[in-house]
Amino acid sequence: PLKDLDPCLRFVFLTGITKFSQLSTFSELNNILNISMDEEYASICGITEEEMLLRMKPGIERLAEKEELTYNEAVEKLKSTYDGYHFTWPSPDIYNPFSLLNALSASRLDYYWFGSGTPTYLIETLRKFDVAPEQIGGQYALPSAFDIPTEMMKKVTPLFYQSGYLTIKGYDEDTGEYLLDIPNREVRVGLMESLLEDYVPGIEEGSMSIVSKLYKNIKYGRLEEALRLLQTFLSTIPYTENTNYEGHYQSLLYVILTLLGFYDVDIEVRTAKGRVDMVLQTGGRIYLFELKFNKSSQEAVRQIDLRNYPSRFALRGLPVVKVGLNFDLDSHTLADWTIV
């Protein structure tokens, strides 16, 4: 239709979630200028931090008062929850306008953007391409791998980037690759919450209250109590065949810890003598998790000691807690654990 109306058109601006496809040599629009990654337009689709601080100070002050925060603390909360988007590199920090405006209007920090719709298609795409939760983000890619029409995609990266679940976080001048990662807390927690429901179909509503209690127990170092809660939670998950393998529990644990808001969660962390199954860093501790299945938690801790995993994290200056977890694949929950 646009091509037929060419004599009548003076200026056309096309925008949307996914990239406009220009596949035909002759019949499609062939004179479009793609500005998606142009530095000149980097801040056109959001609110910059400079704009927020300059124009929205009264709203931030009301939020700070209601949430019992200082002004600077409120700014940091807004930043970690709604900031983090970049559409090229270098780029100013871009806030999600929908979430930021809702938060300042209601004077309440919440996950507004993710609450506006369930990303069913995204979850189905992850399943289609067999992508585990821990594989989302933290990857380098050329623009030809993510700034392409989604009908041409061979991985989930283009869809996740163009729909806002991944964004640019860095750039490697030597290779021309961009670092893609999850933008902020709102997206990370919302995505993991959706994935949790996918991992535990038929989960009882009351079980979610168990998950919410895990956060404070882990945050304040009550790991023994947290693992008892985790054991109870896992025992409520209905049995399905796709849960009867080791990788499922590693991914599920990653989803739960990330859902709780812990940003520093990594799996398969390389050391000089092997790979740690999972590493969690809170404000005051580093937890090294080694997972076993139908064996013993003591054996898991012995592996941590034998391969001297803690030395990998010595320079961080935080106490290291070694945690051996043993899952029972018959009962589909934690059989025992050892904390050292």
Side-chain angles (χ1 to χ4, degrees):
L2 288 173
K3 190 74 172 178
D4 293 338
L5 291 171
D6 191 64
C8 306
L9 301 177
R10 294 295 176 268
F11 176 78
V12 178
F13 184 81
L14 300 176
T15 184
I17 289 179
T18 57
K19 186 176 181 180
F20 190 85
S21 181
Q22 295 171 264
L23 300 178
S24 173
T25 305
F26 301 106
S27 60
E28 302 294 329
L29 287 167
N30 50 21
N31 56 352
I32 295 175
L33 176 65
N34 179 16
I35 64 170
S36 298
M37 296 184 67
D38 284 6
E39 187 177 343
E40 183 179 359
Y41 305 103
S43 61
I44 199 171
C45 289
I47 296 173
T48 67
E49 186 165 276
E50 182 182 3
E51 290 169 337
M52 181 187 75
L53 296 176
L54 182 64
R55 305 292 183 187
M56 302 177 182
K57 186 175 180 180
I60 299 173
E61 290 173 339
R62 288 193 298 270
L63 172 70
E65 182 179 359
K66 188 171 181 180
E67 295 280 339
E68 298 183 346
L69 302 168
T70 67
Y71 179 84
N72 289 337
E73 287 173 341
V75 170
E76 284 302 311
K77 289 278 189 180
L78 290 169
K79 185 177 181 66
S80 65
T81 309
Y82 308 124
D83 187 21
Y85 290 95
H86 309 96
F87 303 106
T88 186
W89 197 267
S91 167
D93 286 341
I94 305 296
Y95 286 71
N96 182 326
F98 179 80
S99 297
L100 178 61
L101 295 174
N102 271 284
L104 295 181
S105 175
S107 297
R108 185 179 72 252
L109 293 164
D110 207 342
Y111 302 135
Y112 297 98
W113 180 61
F114 219 93
S116 65
T118 303
T120 306
Y121 178 58
L122 295 175
I123 305 302
E124 292 174 352
T125 304
L126 283 175
R127 193 182 300 126
K128 174 184 175 181
F129 287 95
D130 194 26
V131 177
E134 59 271 17
Q135 295 173 319
I136 302 172
Q139 55 185 294
Y140 279 91
L142 293 168
S144 58
F146 63 88
D147 189 32
I148 61 172
T150 52
E151 65 263 27
M152 297 172 60
M153 70 182 188
K154 298 179 181 178
K155 296 182 178 180
V156 299
T157 310
L159 178 64
F160 268 66
Y161 172 76
Q162 294 171 32
S163 55
Y165 295 91
L166 290 176
T167 194
I168 294 171
K169 291 291 189 179
Y171 178 69
D172 188 327
E173 292 185 0
D174 293 330
T175 64
E177 293 179 308
Y178 291 85
L179 174 61
L180 303 180
D181 210 345
I182 296 174
N184 52 45
R185 183 182 300 274
E186 178 182 41
V187 177
R188 186 178 294 271
V189 172
L191 183 58
M192 293 303 164
E193 187 172 341
S194 296
L195 287 172
L196 182 63
E197 294 173 3
D198 184 64
Y199 264 74
V200 286
I203 183 174
E204 299 177 7
E205 186 174 340
S207 299
M208 289 304 296
S209 64
I210 296 176
V211 176
S212 65
K213 293 175 183 177
L214 284 170
Y215 174 76
K216 282 190 175 180
N217 285 323
I218 295 175
K219 180 179 179 181
Y220 295 110
R222 300 191 294 264
L223 191 59
E224 182 78 34
E225 189 172 342
L227 292 176
R228 281 198 295 270
L229 285 169
L230 181 63
Q231 183 183 52
T232 301
F233 171 71
L234 292 177
S235 67
T236 67
I237 299 175
Y239 168 75
T240 58
E241 289 187 3
N242 69 336
T243 66
N244 200 25
Y245 68 98
E246 297 180 5
H248 172 83
Y249 293 93
Q250 188 179 41
S251 294
L252 178 59
L253 189 58
Y254 174 85
V255 168
I256 291 173
L257 292 175
T258 307
L259 173 62
L260 296 177
F262 294 112
Y263 260 66
D264 294 321
V265 186
D266 292 305
I267 72 163
E268 301 295 338
V269 178
R270 294 182 181 275
T271 71
K273 295 185 177 181
R275 293 185 296 184
V276 189
D277 284 339
M278 185 169 296
V279 177
L280 167 66
Q281 181 173 325
T282 64
R285 299 174 183 82
I286 297 174
Y287 295 100
L288 306 184
F289 291 93
E290 189 65 30
L291 281 59
K292 295 296 179 183
F293 300 87
N294 289 342
K295 293 182 180 179
S296 74
S297 59
Q298 291 86 357
E299 183 178 342
V301 171
R302 281 197 297 271
Q303 180 173 325
I304 295 175
D305 290 333
L306 182 65
R307 299 184 180 179
N308 196 21
Y309 289 156
S311 63
R312 162 73 167 73
F313 309 94
L315 295 179
R316 297 192 186 184
L318 293 173
V320 174
V321 180
K322 297 173 288 187
V323 185
L325 301 178
N326 178 42
F327 290 87
D328 180 17
L329 295 183
D330 295 322
S331 61
H332 305 100
T333 189
L334 273 172
D336 63 284
W337 56 82
T338 300
I339 304 169
V340 181

